[in-house]
Amino acid sequence: MWLSPGSRIWLAAHPVDMRLGFDGLAAKVQGVLSANPFCGHAFVFRNRRGDRLKLLLWDGLGFWLLYRRLDQGRLHWPRMEHGAIELSAAQWALLVEGRPWTPLPALRICTPTAL
């Protein structure tokens, strides 16, 4: 994806109306997420069914609006109560491919006693 270095990806907790466009989603970024839609970060929104998403991004010249719809299955969303969470590039890649990305269990540390 074409995010500039230092840009972050934010996933909104609550579903939005997918009919919203540039201005409606920018208003959600300001009102619901308390963020600046012109900061250069990417803001991701989902629908209720979880099979569609929109990404809003300001690149300094204008907004980009990406729309993703899965023809089969659903996107795997993290559990969130409110606000937004930051996604890593790896989490974003798994999300848009429709792959589950729940955290793996922590590994148990072992200390060898002999070689």
Side-chain angles (χ1 to χ4, degrees), residues 22 25-26 29 41-43 45 54-58 63-65:
F22 298 103
L25 292 174
V29 170
H41 298 312
F43 297 95
F45 300 90
K54 281 188 175 181
L55 179 142
L56 182 72
L57 172 70
W58 175 261
F63 278 116
W64 285 90
L65 186 60

Side-chain angles (χ1 to χ4, degrees), residues 2-110:
W2 20 252
L3 285 176
S4 57
S7 292
R8 299 159 82 180
I9 304 169
W10 294 99
L11 178 63
H14 293 291
V16 299
D17 184 345
M18 285 288 120
R19 295 174 292 184
L20 291 175
F22 298 103
D23 297 331
L25 292 174
K28 291 279 185 190
V29 170
Q30 282 182 320
V32 177
L33 303 180
S34 300
N36 179 1
F38 304 105
C39 67
H41 298 312
F43 297 95
V44 181
F45 300 90
R46 61 171 283 186
N47 68 339
R48 286 201 188 280
R49 285 186 305 202
D51 63 346
R52 298 163 195 225
L53 65 79
K54 281 188 175 181
L55 179 142
L56 182 72
L57 172 70
W58 175 261
D59 69 358
L61 299 174
F63 278 116
W64 285 90
L65 186 60
L66 279 72
Y67 185 78
R68 173 81 164 156
R69 180 190 76 198
L70 291 183
D71 288 330
Q72 297 177 10
R74 293 179 183 218
L75 299 162
H76 295 268
W77 301 98
R79 296 188 197 282
M80 298 182 292
E81 294 297 320
H82 52 79
I85 62 165
E86 185 175 0
L87 298 180
S88 68
Q91 289 171 322
W92 167 250
L94 291 171
L95 176 68
V96 296
E97 290 178 4
R99 297 177 185 226
W101 53 284
T102 55
L104 296 172
L107 296 175
R108 196 176 74 203
I109 296 175
C110 64

